[in-house]
Amino acid sequence: MYLHAGGNVIERKKDIIGIFDIDNMNTEKTMKNFLRKAEKKGETCIAGDGLPKSFILVKGKKGEKVIFSTLASQILVKRGEIAIN
């Protein structure tokens, strides 16, 4: 099964490590550092136009990547649940 992250980005559900709300992560110093490092390494992409509301951590062939999504984390989680059924 797949999860549509927004825009033209689709990921396999089995590769998704987690879905996170950006507003809740902005205060976490560790998470900020992680996201900065991922961006410097080129391991990020943006799904959709506009300001991101969430991000998805995905395991890839060469390590993890971060997908910033304009969709809220709750919407992404519900999309994942519907795809399971």
Side-chain angles (χ1 to χ4, degrees):
M1 290 295 195
Y2 294 88
L3 175 69
H4 179 246
N8 58 358
V9 178
I10 299 171
E11 286 295 329
R12 292 187 312 180
K13 283 180 46 180
K14 70 178 187 174
D15 293 338
I16 295 174
I17 297 170
I19 299 173
F20 304 91
D21 185 348
I22 285 184
D23 290 335
N24 291 336
M25 295 297 158
N26 281 339
T27 58
E28 296 291 329
K29 186 177 179 180
T30 306
M31 189 57 70
K32 281 183 181 180
N33 290 336
F34 172 78
L35 293 175
R36 280 191 199 119
K37 287 179 184 178
E39 191 168 10
K40 284 181 184 179
K41 292 180 183 178
E43 298 170 342
T44 61
C45 74
I46 299 175
D49 297 324
L51 292 174
K53 296 179 183 175
S54 62
F55 68 93
I56 306 164
L57 183 59
V58 180
K59 66 179 177 180
K61 295 175 184 173
K62 298 180 181 177
E64 289 109 15
K65 68 179 176 177
V66 177
I67 300 170
F68 291 100
S69 176
T70 57
L71 301 173
S73 58
Q74 297 89 349
I75 292 172
L76 293 170
V77 169
K78 286 194 182 233
R79 283 184 177 189
E81 290 172 354
I82 290 170
I84 291 174
N85 295 331

